[in-house]
Amino acid sequence: MSVEGKVVVITGGARGMGREIVRGFIREGAKVVATDVSWVPTGFSNDTEDFYAEVKDNPNVLATTMDITSQAHVDYTYKQTIETFGTVDVLICNGGTRQRDLYHETHGSVTVLETEVADWQRMFDTHVFGNLRVIKRFIEPMLEKGRGSIITSASGQILNAHPAATADENARPGLRFGLSREGPYQPAKMALGAMCLYLAEELRGTNIAVNVLLPGHTATTGSDEQEAVRNAIRQRLSPTNTPFIPRRVRADNVVPLALHLAEQDAEGITGRWISAMDWNVENGFGGFETWGVAEDIAALQAAGRM
């Protein structure tokens, strides 16, 4: 199977993982609808280039502005998509709100008790309600054709959210989950993952696949600034002489899995939460040594940790 000629709609496509997914599908010959709430570079690390200038003149790309919290925006972009390409074969819901966007900080690390209900409402409004709004609109051509693929992007941390299987009743459940202090963000991603499992079952009879892609710890917009501040927080809370070195992967770590899931329908892979980095390793695309951020790999090697 191939994505060549397929119409692929990608939200959050102006930067980070979305930008790399857009590039990946363009290389494979797809017709891409790339949407984002803004195409203006933020100026933070990993978001200084004008990606719109790169894609705006490509006849196989419709680059447009869409706020997934607005039904009018979603309806208008759907109308543009049908007028331009006539259909939708694949929908990749990558858009959402990051924790550091919500709190206007470079690190976004806050405790649950420091948050407000309004913070949770805004976070769920993009990751859950916004993605549902997009799915309900853009699925229409797939339902008519009886085939399609929907891919959402959650967080690899949700795999660590279950209580650890242990006989020690005093052991802390959840493995590493919760240590990043991303109160509204991770629960919103978990809700998105749960919604997609329900949706996958409901759509089996329509031959539409629904899967959840789980990225690795990815260097996206503002990642350098985030790591610097979070490291200072770690040192303050748990002083140590051993410097913390992040193990970030490049934003394109999700591209091989996204391409594979785009080829699926309900007779193939559906109703799954899949780690992109685990999938890359299992399918011969390499692990951290292949996808790791060069600076992090160099630092880890110099420290004898790789």
Side-chain angles (χ1 to χ4, degrees), residues 8-13 17-18 21 35 66 68 90-96 126-128 130-136 138-139 142 149-154 189 192 195-196 199 210-213:
V8 182
V9 178
I10 303 166
T11 67
M17 291 182 296
I21 293 171
T35 81
M66 180 174 72
I68 64 176
V90 180
L91 173 61
I92 303 179
C93 293
N94 173 70
T126 55
H127 292 292
V128 184
N131 282 320
L132 177 59
R133 185 178 290 112
V134 171
I135 290 169
K136 285 171 64 67
F138 284 84
I139 199 175
M142 302 184 204
S149 177
I150 296 171
I151 307 164
T152 64
S153 176
K189 287 294 193 181
L192 171 64
M195 179 182 75
C196 290
L199 185 61
V210 184
N211 290 289
V212 183
L213 184 155

Side-chain angles (χ1 to χ4, degrees), residues 250-262:
R250 301 192 313 269
D252 59 348
N253 80 94
V254 298
V255 174
L257 178 56
L259 289 168
H260 180 67
L261 293 178

Side-chain angles (χ1 to χ4, degrees), residues 13-304:
R15 54 189 54 81
M17 291 182 296
R19 179 174 61 198
E20 297 306 322
I21 293 171
V22 170
R23 285 172 170 160
F25 277 86
I26 291 173
R27 287 195 299 269
E28 295 299 318
K31 298 177 181 178
V32 177
V33 180
T35 81
D36 212 308
V37 70
S38 172
W39 286 84
V40 179
T42 64
F44 285 104
S45 58
N46 305 305
D47 188 29
T48 57
E49 63 181 291
D50 185 355
F51 185 47
Y52 182 75
E54 179 181 324
V55 298
K56 67 182 179 67
D57 295 324
N58 188 324
N60 288 322
V61 178
L62 170 62
T64 185
T65 301
M66 180 174 72
D67 181 352
I68 64 176
T69 69
S70 166
Q71 187 65 52
H73 270 231
V74 172
D75 289 343
Y76 181 69
T77 303
Y78 176 75
K79 180 174 180 290
Q80 285 183 297
T81 298
I82 298 304
E83 289 176 350
T84 304
F85 295 128
T87 190
V88 176
D89 298 298
V90 180
L91 173 61
I92 303 179
C93 293
N94 173 70
T97 301
R98 300 168 311 172
Q99 187 89 350
R100 57 188 180 269
D101 292 331
L102 187 62
Y103 294 102
H104 306 289
E105 297 278 357
T106 56
H107 58 87
S109 180
V110 296
T111 67
V112 170
L113 294 182
E114 289 173 324
T115 65
E116 301 293 338
V117 171
D119 302 336
W120 293 70
Q121 290 172 328
R122 181 177 169 190
M123 194 66 78
F124 274 68
D125 201 23
T126 55
H127 292 292
V128 184
F129 312 139
N131 282 320
L132 177 59
R133 185 178 290 112
V134 171
I135 290 169
K136 285 171 64 67
R137 197 69 170 99
F138 284 84
I139 199 175
E140 293 177 16
M142 302 184 204
L143 291 171
E144 292 175 3
K145 292 185 292 186
R147 192 179 192 278
S149 177
I150 296 171
I151 307 164
T152 64
S153 176
S155 167
Q157 275 209 30
I158 70 175
L159 293 177
N160 292 328
H162 58 82
T166 175
D168 182 359
E169 62 181 13
N170 296 314
R172 181 168 58 182
L175 302 176
R176 298 182 306 278
F177 193 81
L179 298 185
S180 61
R181 301 201 307 177
E182 295 175 282
Y185 177 81
Q186 295 292 349
K189 287 294 193 181
M190 291 176 68
L192 171 64
M195 179 182 75
C196 290
L197 294 185
Y198 276 83
L199 185 61
E201 288 303 313
E202 294 169 2
L203 292 175
R204 282 187 185 274
T206 67
N207 201 28
I208 299 173
V210 184
N211 290 289
V212 183
L213 184 155
L214 307 176
H217 179 38
T218 306
T220 58
T221 301
S223 176
D224 292 350
E225 294 87 344
Q226 172 186 281
E227 291 301 329
V229 178
R230 285 191 175 183
N231 190 41
I233 293 173
R234 293 186 190 99
Q235 284 295 102
R236 186 177 70 248
L237 297 177
S238 302
T240 176
N241 292 325
T242 304
F244 175 79
I245 302 173
R247 293 177 62 90
R248 295 171 297 173
V249 290
R250 301 192 313 269
D252 59 348
N253 80 94
V254 298
V255 174
L257 178 56
L259 289 168
H260 180 67
L261 293 178
E263 298 174 352
Q264 306 302 313
D265 55 29
E267 295 180 357
I269 298 172
T270 191
R272 296 272 306 280
W273 294 0
I274 306 176
S275 164
M277 285 300 295
D278 288 348
W279 191 89
N280 286 344
V281 171
E282 292 166 3
N283 289 274
F285 289 96
F288 180 73
E289 73 288 345
T290 301
W291 300 97
V293 171
E295 294 84 350
D296 294 355
I297 290 177
L300 288 163
Q301 289 174 336

